[in-house]
Amino acid sequence: MWITTLGSHCALQVLKGAKDEGFMTAVVTERRREGLYRRFGFIDDFVVVDRFGDVAKPDLQAALRERGAVMVPHGTLVSEVGVDTVEGGLDVPIFGNRRMLRWESDRNLKEKLMKEAGIRLPRSFATPEEMDGLCIVKLHGARGGLGYFLADGPGPYRRKREELEAKGLLGRDAQVFIQEYVVGVPAYLHYFYSPLHRRLEFLGAEKRYETTVDGIGRVPSSLQGELSPSYVVVGNIPLVLRESLLEDVYRMGEDFVRASQRLVPPGSIGPFCLEGVYDAEARFVAFEFSARIVAGTNLYVNGSPYSALTYGGEQVSMGRRIAMEVKEAQASGSLDSVLT
Amino acid sequence: MWITTLGSHCALQVLKGAKDEGFMTAVVTERRREGLYRRFGFIDDFVVVDRFGDVAKPDLQAALRERGAVMVPHGTLVSEVGVDTVEGGLDVPIFGNRRMLRWESDRNLKEKLMKEAGIRLPRSFATPEEMDGLCIVKLHGARGGLGYFLADGPGPYRRKREELEAKGLLGRDAQVFIQEYVVGVPAYLHYFYSPLHRRLEFLGAEKRYETTVDGIGRVPSSLQGELSPSYVVVGNIPLVLRESLLEDVYRMGEDFVRASQRLVPPGSIGPFCLEGVYDAEARFVAFEFSARIVAGTNLYVNGSPYSALTYGGEQVSMGRRIAMEVKEAQASGSLDSVLT
Amino acid sequence: MWITTLGSHCALQVLKGAKDEGFMTAVVTERRREGLYRRFGFIDDFVVVDRFGDVAKPDLQAALRERGAVMVPHGTLVSEVGVDTVEGGLDVPIFGNRRMLRWESDRNLKEKLMKEAGIRLPRSFATPEEMDGLCIVKLHGARGGLGYFLADGPGPYRRKREELEAKGLLGRDAQVFIQEYVVGVPAYLHYFYSPLHRRLEFLGAEKRYETTVDGIGRVPSSLQGELSPSYVVVGNIPLVLRESLLEDVYRMGEDFVRASQRLVPPGSIGPFCLEGVYDAEARFVAFEFSARIVAGTNLYVNGSPYSALTYGGEQVSMGRRIAMEVKEAQASGSLDSVLT
């Protein structure tokens, strides 16, 4: 049996984990990146495409189906192939509940699911006039934090917006999403829900490393001038959480799984991530979730402190955890529980 | 033989380490967190209490004594049970020198021990009028950095204090501790002193992840306004130190152990932590110590770069290192050297 | 066969890696630090000197040659012994191309090699008058970031310079190097080039932990005053990079190796590091390179996420990777390919 994924995001981790569990592995890679993936010994086959969107082409899908490949979805599948295609035009078994990807991609559905789960959200503002403090303005469909900006009132919002429009960075009719900026420290919480064991596992935490926002604090105030941060993710930094926060971490995760089971049956399967900040009172305020493996798990190719607590000496990355679930489902004849 | 600890802070690491060394393990857990600890396979027994303070109840102590349990103390024992009880009302063998916990908890004793050890301290000011630069004001007995604030002179101090009093966050007669704010980078140094081998081991370094102070630098100066940081620990981030600093790291640790042997015989046993900043000249200035395992060691469930240098391929967390010492003491009939 | 290195910087990692590969190990240590290195079980011999410069003394060189020692160069060899001695007066086999160390140490050669490699550099300014934005001013020959300062124009430059001169921190005729300050997030990329396999390996990423610059963001703007950062490295923090950046990471590394083969034949051998920031567009802008192992690799004594992708379960630190190459070269009679 094969495990495959798009060649980007967390493909190396996913395919190495699959190989460690005994699967054959294939990467669907854009031509320009084929060289990167050929460097690694744990990839058995290379499906070379011009653009990731080509994965939806009938012959390519057929080829994947023929070898019985299971596709592990990640951020690049969402951004480069798109949820319409994933839902309606990708006839390849996907690990996890593929319908969840739409709920991740649509800001209204996303908010609905988080509210259903009872997760604390930042306030959002329908119009700039309602802003009553520091806010972060997010472009609909922006990726990787590109095009986000801060403003602390309607006036600054308009000035900043006009500046971006003048530079051609923002269309005049571009829809934006205005959200309270919660001052605190960012944290990304990596979960895995096993339908086979009906069990939630917390497997790691990290913070993103974003340019330029994680660098501006190195510039003293007197020299910052009108410096305006960008939020482009370039990496991740490992983190453990205070143990007294873990009860809440699991509770949020389980509430999220149950909410997803009600709203998007059969609900979450496999990895997901709650993304937010711990505020001044150390309460977790979530501004996003991902309904699939996140790239921050790449920190833990050799396992994380949390996977060590759950799996002992075994080095269980999220990629390997996925492969373990597929393997177990296959052995017990319950692949239907983990694939859609 | 059993190893037990309160269910918080670093209990998972401590009990996993104990299990890895072949001990039976019990967690003393508050009812609301029992579910958390039941998730992990390395905990053999669950002593459920309403509040951590109940650990001092005679029948509970008797139960722990009956199974020959050794208790590993950590921050929660200090903050929730208190040093009076630990010294006078907790008749259970404790790993380490329990008298040291008072020296950790009392700011005057703490300063006395650090001075005896010749460790560089920030200046402290008896009254606000003496402040002559940026200072951090710490509430006596504040936990986890809650209630700390910055001020750069008597005037700003009074304004900030009145603001906190008005909000009910600070009593009008609350004692505070005013300390020079040393600009530099925080570092927490994890030590283990083995009485059996009369040897100091340096097993790891990290920095805390504190909300909101570790997030305010992500807000550009022009939007920070009167933003005032809090110092609530929510996690930890791994760190290694420049190798040329290590000689000094060991020297400080050994000076600390010797000072503790003079002032608090038999002195430090097992884990302790020096907590401070490296200033602009890369000198370590310590603002605190912990006389027991710190939660930052949770980063290193699988061992740290430093434990790897000391213990080779073995993955020795601080929790496991404690269990190793108990095991060795038991085997050599010298439990008296490590328990009090 | 022996592997040796100067006792500082990354000596512990290098010698542990050598021991793991079966070599005998010797540290050349200054007397004051001998105690540090005697703490570790993987060091077989201690060559004690008064100052590191003594390594060039004929009898000491003879002693190293007699036991067939290979020396692993690192930052301390460059800064304390100096490239003149390394090139002309150190008759001990060195792992890697020793001529590269001059290109690392000389700012003009350094820039020439990076340009030859087509690596994106910050702009540099020949005179303060040319400055047209935020700049970092670096003292020629400054070590560890000591003496660097920021200025956003000729006026602030002169004021800051006069201030440092008045304090005796900068000579009146001291040469400085004025470089565009690229706002972004710092990243250090650890490479290993194997001449035996003609293969480039990317083995890790990190960011330095620098005092005070990585602490000033914890001081709110309103209290920063004229706070002026220093850039003294005291440690390192682990990092993984966004997978979509890796193709470029390898390309830059291979371009660097090829450029070094043209300009400094036989070119790069073994470890090197590209040091820079990811700017607002997530482009890597390199302000330095190191032509040998960097101290940031000390994070990965047990291997990094990237070495795990390349070497599977084996825990391959950069120090161990060096020893693996020496061992293989010895076995295949091609030591000439890796030593100079």
Side-chain angles (χ1 to χ4, degrees):
Chain A
M1 195 173 177
W2 290 71
I3 284 185
T4 190
T5 196
L6 300 189
S8 193
H9 194 272
C10 58
L12 291 168
Q13 180 211 153
V14 163
L15 297 176
K16 178 175 189 303
K19 178 53 67 182
D20 287 343
E21 290 297 314
F23 288 91
M24 295 293 284
T25 59
V27 67
V28 179
T29 177
E30 291 186 335
R31 197 170 303 281
R32 63 192 173 106
R33 283 201 199 145
E34 182 184 355
L36 173 66
Y37 292 100
R38 288 208 177 265
R39 293 175 188 272
F40 299 93
F42 49 80
I43 307 181
D44 297 306
D45 198 9
F46 301 82
V47 180
V48 182
V49 293
D50 289 323
R51 296 168 305 106
F52 284 126
D54 293 351
V55 76
K57 286 189 177 170
D59 56 334
L60 205 148
Q61 296 194 36
L64 291 175
R65 277 199 307 274
E66 261 164 42
R67 67 185 79 177
V70 169
M71 176 167 286
V72 175
H74 53 58
T76 305
L77 188 71
V78 177
S79 63
E80 301 296 320
V81 179
V83 292
D84 288 342
T85 301
V86 171
E87 283 189 344
L90 195 62
D91 188 15
V92 174
I94 280 188
F95 180 79
N97 180 353
R98 69 173 77 198
R99 286 181 59 221
M100 288 286 291
L101 299 177
R102 177 171 300 280
W103 289 67
E104 166 187 329
S105 304
D106 180 302
R107 201 163 287 283
N108 294 320
L109 291 176
K110 177 173 264 179
E111 203 169 316
K112 184 175 174 186
L113 180 49
M114 290 202 283
K115 281 184 176 164
E116 174 78 13
I119 290 169
R120 192 178 286 108
L121 302 178
R123 290 177 302 145
S124 58
F125 302 97
T127 68
E129 283 64 36
E130 293 172 27
M131 292 165 65
D132 65 353
L134 190 57
C135 289
I136 185 162
V137 183
K138 302 177 173 181
L139 192 59
H140 274 294
R143 289 185 331 216
L146 202 64
Y148 289 10
F149 66 89
L150 297 180
D152 57 356
Y157 166 85
R158 273 189 299 269
R159 277 194 297 279
K160 185 74 192 169
R161 171 136 200 178
E162 281 160 19
E163 182 190 320
L164 290 171
E165 287 175 1
K167 286 183 185 162
L169 295 172
L170 198 61
R172 278 186 200 281
D173 53 355
Q175 288 280 337
V176 297
F177 179 71
I178 304 174
Q179 200 173 43
E180 174 193 9
Y181 185 88
V182 178
V183 178
V185 288
Y188 294 77
L189 313 178
H190 309 161
Y191 297 95
F192 185 92
Y193 179 72
S194 163
L196 302 180
H197 297 276
R198 294 172 187 265
R199 184 175 71 171
L200 181 72
E201 300 168 12
F202 174 59
L203 292 179
E206 39 87 32
K207 64 169 186 162
R208 290 186 179 164
Y209 193 45
E210 296 173 333
T211 187
T212 62
V213 71
D214 284 314
I216 59 168
R218 289 168 56 96
V219 179
S221 300
S222 57
L223 293 170
Q224 282 197 20
E226 289 301 310
L227 211 62
S228 184
S230 59
Y231 298 84
V232 183
V233 182
V234 295
N236 305 83
I237 292 173
L239 210 61
V240 294
L241 298 176
R242 193 173 184 160
E243 190 159 312
S244 58
L245 298 171
L246 289 187
E247 179 68 13
D248 200 44
V249 165
Y250 278 99
R251 189 195 50 70
M252 285 190 299
E254 291 182 336
D255 287 348
F256 181 86
V257 170
R258 275 190 294 264
S260 72
Q261 289 168 342
R262 290 191 296 269
L263 296 184
V264 203
S268 250
I269 294 170
F272 65 97
C273 181
L274 296 181
E275 312 176 3
V277 296
Y278 280 100
D279 72 7
E281 276 80 41
R283 296 175 305 196
F284 190 76
V285 183
F287 42 71
E288 303 274 356
F289 70 79
S290 292
R292 32 77 198 170
I293 187 171
V294 290
T297 59
N298 291 340
L299 284 162
Y300 303 122
V301 174
N302 285 323
S304 77
Y306 295 103
S307 69
L309 293 172
T310 301
Y311 289 102
E314 289 298 302
Q315 300 184 328
V316 178
S317 68
M318 190 64 85
R320 185 166 181 183
R321 183 64 190 86
I322 292 170
M324 287 162 63
E325 193 82 0
V326 176
K327 193 170 157 184
E328 193 181 342
Q330 191 182 22
S332 63
S334 44
L335 278 172
D336 282 358
S337 307
V338 300
L339 307 182
T340 58
Chain B
M1 195 172 178
W2 290 71
I3 284 185
T4 190
T5 197
L6 300 189
S8 193
H9 194 271
C10 58
L12 291 168
Q13 180 211 150
V14 163
L15 298 176
K16 178 174 189 303
K19 178 54 66 186
D20 287 343
E21 290 297 313
F23 288 91
M24 295 293 285
T25 59
V27 68
V28 178
T29 177
E30 291 186 335
R31 196 169 305 281
R32 61 192 174 105
R33 284 200 200 145
E34 182 184 356
L36 173 66
Y37 292 100
R38 288 207 177 267
R39 293 174 188 273
F40 299 94
F42 50 79
I43 307 182
D44 296 307
D45 199 9
F46 302 81
V47 180
V48 182
V49 294
D50 289 323
R51 296 167 305 107
F52 283 125
D54 294 351
V55 76
K57 286 189 177 171
D59 56 333
L60 205 147
Q61 295 194 37
L64 291 174
R65 277 197 307 276
E66 261 164 43
R67 67 185 78 175
V70 168
M71 177 168 284
V72 175
H74 54 56
T76 305
L77 188 71
V78 176
S79 65
E80 301 297 319
V81 179
V83 292
D84 289 342
T85 301
V86 171
E87 282 189 344
L90 196 62
D91 188 16
V92 174
I94 281 187
F95 179 79
N97 179 354
R98 68 173 78 196
R99 287 181 59 223
M100 288 286 291
L101 300 177
R102 179 171 298 280
W103 289 66
E104 167 187 328
S105 302
D106 180 302
R107 203 164 284 282
N108 294 320
L109 292 176
K110 176 174 264 179
E111 203 169 314
K112 184 174 173 185
L113 180 50
M114 290 203 282
K115 281 183 177 165
E116 174 77 14
I119 289 170
R120 191 177 286 109
L121 301 177
R123 290 177 302 145
S124 59
F125 303 97
T127 68
E129 284 66 35
E130 294 172 26
M131 293 165 64
D132 65 352
L134 190 56
C135 289
I136 184 160
V137 183
K138 301 177 174 182
L139 193 57
H140 274 294
R143 291 185 330 218
L146 201 64
Y148 288 11
F149 66 89
L150 296 180
D152 56 358
Y157 167 84
R158 273 190 298 272
R159 277 194 297 280
K160 186 72 193 173
R161 172 136 198 178
E162 280 161 19
E163 182 189 321
L164 290 171
E165 287 174 2
K167 285 183 185 163
L169 295 173
L170 198 62
R172 276 184 203 282
D173 53 357
Q175 288 280 337
V176 297
F177 179 72
I178 306 175
Q179 200 173 44
E180 173 194 9
Y181 185 88
V182 179
V183 177
V185 288
Y188 294 77
L189 313 177
H190 308 161
Y191 298 96
F192 184 93
Y193 179 72
S194 162
L196 302 180
H197 297 276
R198 295 173 187 264
R199 185 175 71 171
L200 181 73
E201 300 167 10
F202 174 58
L203 293 179
E206 37 89 32
K207 63 170 188 162
R208 290 186 178 164
Y209 194 45
E210 296 172 334
T211 187
T212 60
V213 71
D214 284 315
I216 60 168
R218 290 168 54 96
V219 179
S221 298
S222 58
L223 292 171
Q224 282 197 19
E226 290 302 308
L227 209 63
S228 184
S230 59
Y231 298 85
V232 184
V233 182
V234 295
N236 306 83
I237 292 173
L239 210 60
V240 293
L241 298 177
R242 194 172 181 161
E243 191 159 310
S244 57
L245 298 170
L246 288 187
E247 179 67 14
D248 201 45
V249 164
Y250 277 99
R251 189 195 50 70
M252 286 191 297
E254 292 182 337
D255 288 348
F256 182 85
V257 170
R258 275 190 295 264
S260 72
Q261 289 168 343
R262 288 192 296 270
L263 296 183
V264 204
S268 250
I269 294 169
F272 66 97
C273 181
L274 295 181
E275 313 177 1
V277 298
Y278 280 100
D279 72 7
E281 277 80 42
R283 295 175 307 194
F284 190 76
V285 183
F287 42 72
E288 304 273 355
F289 70 79
S290 294
R292 33 76 197 171
I293 186 171
V294 290
T297 59
N298 291 339
L299 283 163
Y300 303 122
V301 174
N302 284 323
S304 77
Y306 295 103
S307 69
L309 293 173
T310 302
Y311 289 102
E314 288 298 301
Q315 299 184 328
V316 178
S317 69
M318 190 63 86
R320 186 167 182 183
R321 183 63 190 85
I322 292 170
M324 288 163 62
E325 193 82 358
V326 176
K327 192 170 159 185
E328 193 180 343
Q330 192 182 21
S332 62
S334 45
L335 278 171
D336 281 359
S337 308
V338 301
L339 307 181
T340 59
Chain C
M1 195 173 179
W2 291 71
I3 283 184
T4 190
T5 197
L6 300 189
S8 192
H9 194 273
C10 58
L12 292 168
Q13 181 212 150
V14 163
L15 298 176
K16 179 175 189 300
K19 179 54 67 184
D20 287 344
E21 290 297 314
F23 288 92
M24 295 294 285
T25 59
V27 68
V28 178
T29 176
E30 291 187 333
R31 197 169 305 281
R32 63 191 173 105
R33 283 199 200 147
E34 182 184 354
L36 174 65
Y37 291 100
R38 287 208 178 265
R39 293 175 188 273
F40 299 93
F42 49 79
I43 307 182
D44 297 306
D45 198 9
F46 302 82
V47 181
V48 181
V49 293
D50 289 322
R51 296 167 305 108
F52 283 125
D54 294 351
V55 76
K57 287 188 178 171
D59 57 332
L60 206 147
Q61 295 193 36
L64 291 173
R65 276 197 307 275
E66 261 164 42
R67 67 185 77 176
V70 168
M71 177 168 284
V72 175
H74 53 56
T76 305
L77 188 71
V78 177
S79 64
E80 301 298 319
V81 178
V83 293
D84 288 343
T85 301
V86 171
E87 283 189 344
L90 196 63
D91 188 15
V92 174
I94 281 187
F95 180 80
N97 179 354
R98 68 173 78 197
R99 286 180 61 222
M100 288 287 292
L101 299 177
R102 179 171 298 280
W103 290 67
E104 166 187 329
S105 302
D106 180 302
R107 202 164 286 283
N108 294 321
L109 292 176
K110 177 174 262 178
E111 203 168 314
K112 184 175 173 184
L113 180 49
M114 290 202 284
K115 281 184 177 165
E116 175 77 15
I119 290 169
R120 191 179 285 110
L121 302 177
R123 290 176 302 145
S124 58
F125 303 97
T127 67
E129 284 64 37
E130 294 172 27
M131 293 165 65
D132 65 352
L134 190 56
C135 289
I136 184 160
V137 183
K138 302 177 174 182
L139 193 58
H140 273 294
R143 291 185 331 219
L146 201 64
Y148 288 10
F149 66 89
L150 297 180
D152 57 356
Y157 166 84
R158 274 188 298 270
R159 277 194 297 279
K160 186 73 192 170
R161 171 137 199 179
E162 280 161 19
E163 182 190 320
L164 290 172
E165 287 174 1
K167 286 183 185 162
L169 294 172
L170 198 61
R172 278 188 200 280
D173 54 355
Q175 288 279 340
V176 297
F177 179 72
I178 305 174
Q179 199 173 46
E180 174 193 9
Y181 184 89
V182 178
V183 177
V185 288
Y188 294 76
L189 313 178
H190 308 162
Y191 298 95
F192 184 93
Y193 178 72
S194 163
L196 302 180
H197 296 276
R198 294 171 188 265
R199 183 175 70 171
L200 182 73
E201 300 168 10
F202 174 59
L203 293 179
E206 37 87 34
K207 63 169 186 161
R208 292 187 178 162
Y209 193 44
E210 296 173 332
T211 186
T212 61
V213 71
D214 284 315
I216 61 168
R218 290 168 55 97
V219 179
S221 299
S222 57
L223 292 171
Q224 282 197 20
E226 290 301 309
L227 210 62
S228 184
S230 59
Y231 298 85
V232 184
V233 182
V234 295
N236 306 83
I237 292 173
L239 210 61
V240 293
L241 298 176
R242 193 171 183 162
E243 190 158 311
S244 58
L245 298 171
L246 288 187
E247 179 67 13
D248 201 44
V249 164
Y250 278 100
R251 189 194 49 69
M252 286 191 298
E254 292 182 336
D255 288 347
F256 181 86
V257 170
R258 274 190 295 264
S260 72
Q261 289 168 342
R262 289 192 296 269
L263 296 184
V264 204
S268 252
I269 294 170
F272 65 96
C273 181
L274 296 181
E275 312 175 4
V277 298
Y278 280 100
D279 73 7
E281 276 80 41
R283 295 174 306 194
F284 189 77
V285 182
F287 41 72
E288 304 274 356
F289 69 80
S290 293
R292 33 79 197 170
I293 186 171
V294 291
T297 59
N298 291 339
L299 283 162
Y300 304 121
V301 174
N302 285 323
S304 77
Y306 295 104
S307 69
L309 292 173
T310 301
Y311 288 102
E314 289 298 301
Q315 299 184 329
V316 178
S317 68
M318 191 64 85
R320 186 168 181 182
R321 183 63 190 85
I322 292 170
M324 288 162 62
E325 193 83 0
V326 176
K327 192 170 158 184
E328 193 180 343
Q330 192 182 23
S332 62
S334 43
L335 278 171
D336 281 358
S337 308
V338 300
L339 308 181
T340 59

